[in-house]
Amino acid sequence: PPPAKKKAASKEPCTFKGGNWKTSLSMSEQMWAGSLARLASQTLLHPLDTLRTRRQVKGGLATTPLDLAKGIIPQMAGAMPAGALQFLAYESAKSNLNRALTNSTALGSMKPHVVEVASACIGAFAASLVRCPQERIKQPVQAEMYANWAAAIKGNMDQGGLPAFFTGFTATVMRDVPWNAFSFLFFNIGKIVYEKYTDAAPNQRDSMILGAIGGTLAAIIMTPVDVVKTRLMTQVADNKGELAYKGIGHCLLKVSSEEGPGALMKGLLPRCMYLGPLASITLSIYEKIGKGILLRRGPDWCRTSPPAA
């Protein structure tokens, strides 16, 4: 009788469990997914961002429905490059850190969390290079210091040229880097727990819930720094040319002593209403786009090389 044919070795199906599937995306795919996710989330939630800013400026500002669209143009203009930079830096850092720590046992079970926090910090810092100038144009318009984005650009140039667009950069980094680190960490922990008990990757709805929880918790923790950043970016010099706040530490002390410690939590509710959904929409859309790109390659997407960036 003819020899029996050997059965072909069965291939393990490609899976979206864990985070390794993102390494199958090219750099350009990561940038497109990140930029579109950030554009969608920031544009949808811009009214809440405006409300938060107007609550946090010294004295506060009453807000009408027409005010909620103020600053939308610089918001949209900066969202895509900020998102592209953030997710490219985040994924690159995560991939390199995982590779560097492959044989390391020093961190034990904390290794994935340490990698997540470090990668999120690097991504947020990269985004801040765009976010700070964007905020220097957007927030003064939201706070009615300038009539529109063009006037805000001219005002910054008159105040000090290009360096003026980076006023408050340290405060922006101190707010955005920890918030992103906490958001990504809580989101990642949520996914790990979810996958442990369901033995499946979270679907779109559950990804949005996990992202919202992570973003809200991070927003609560970082609200005082956000108040300081808003005050530094929206302050104007008095008749003598002096500014009310000399820096981050001085602003923290002055706000808490003159207005009470509770002033450092101003805008907490709109901030949570903004940043919870922001993390939810950004992270879930980023993953949805990334998964969609890979599925278009067919069921064996994990065994094919990503296209050249």
Side-chain angles (χ1 to χ4, degrees):
K5 289 183 180 179
K6 291 182 180 179
K7 286 186 178 179
S10 60
K11 296 178 183 176
E12 265 197 49
C14 296
T15 178
F16 290 112
K17 283 180 65 179
N20 288 337
W21 61 269
K22 296 175 190 173
T23 59
S24 296
L25 294 168
S26 68
M27 290 173 59
S28 61
E29 289 168 341
Q30 291 168 358
M31 291 177 72
W32 274 112
S35 61
L36 292 172
R38 192 90 190 212
L39 175 65
S41 59
Q42 288 189 195
T43 303
L44 285 170
L45 297 168
H46 180 76
L48 288 171
D49 179 54
T50 301
L51 182 61
R52 170 188 65 86
T53 297
R54 293 171 71 87
R55 289 268 182 92
Q56 289 180 342
V57 295
K58 191 169 184 178
L61 289 171
T63 304
T64 68
L66 291 176
D67 293 325
L68 297 177
K70 289 181 176 178
I72 186 70
I73 292 177
Q75 178 80 286
M76 294 177 70
M80 291 190 74
L85 272 177
Q86 178 181 2
F87 281 95
L88 176 62
Y90 164 73
E91 295 294 359
S92 298
K94 192 171 182 178
S95 178
N96 288 326
L97 284 171
N98 277 323
R99 195 180 305 115
L101 297 173
T102 299
N103 299 318
S104 173
T105 57
L107 297 173
S109 61
M110 291 300 294
K111 183 165 75 172
H113 305 311
V114 171
V115 169
E116 192 69 32
V117 168
S119 304
C121 287
I122 292 169
F125 182 83
S128 294
L129 298 173
V130 175
R131 291 277 294 150
C132 188
Q134 178 196 35
E135 293 283 275
R136 282 289 295 169
I137 299 167
K138 173 179 68 74
Q139 282 202 318
V141 174
Q142 291 172 316
E144 297 184 4
M145 294 168 61
Y146 298 107
N148 52 54
W149 62 271
I153 291 176
K154 184 178 184 303
N156 275 290
M157 292 299 293
D158 291 344
Q159 285 178 30
L162 291 177
F165 289 96
F166 288 89
T167 299
F169 179 75
T170 303
T172 300
V173 169
M174 286 183 64
R175 179 200 65 172
D176 287 357
V177 168
W179 180 77
N180 277 275
F182 284 128
S183 295
F184 278 71
L185 175 64
F186 295 147
F187 180 66
N188 193 51
I189 290 173
K191 283 176 62 180
I192 290 172
V193 173
Y194 181 99
E195 291 174 2
K196 179 181 178 182
Y197 286 99
T198 65
D199 196 33
N203 57 32
Q204 185 72 9
R205 181 200 64 189
D206 294 337
S207 288
M208 293 187 75
I209 292 171
L210 294 172
I213 293 170
T216 301
L217 291 174
I220 294 170
I221 294 169
M222 297 307 302
T223 294
V225 180
D226 189 46
V227 172
V228 169
K229 192 220 67 149
T230 299
R231 294 293 181 93
L232 290 174
M233 284 197 163
T234 58
Q235 66 177 332
V236 292
D238 59 19
N239 294 333
K240 298 178 181 177
E242 296 181 358
L243 295 172
Y245 308 113
K246 310 301 182 187
I248 296 169
H250 180 253
C251 184
L252 272 170
L253 293 172
K254 189 168 183 178
V255 170
S256 58
S257 62
E258 291 183 355
E259 303 172 44
L264 293 172
M265 298 302 289
K266 279 186 177 180
L268 175 62
L269 182 59
R271 178 170 163 79
C272 289
M273 289 173 64
Y274 172 68
L275 289 175
L278 180 73
S280 172
I281 296 170
T282 303
L283 293 171
S284 61
I285 288 182
Y286 175 71
E287 293 205 341
K288 181 73 172 178
I289 294 173
K291 290 174 182 177
I293 290 171
L294 295 178
L295 289 173
R296 285 173 64 89
R297 298 182 195 163
D300 289 330
W301 56 262
C302 60
R303 282 176 278 276
T304 60
S305 299

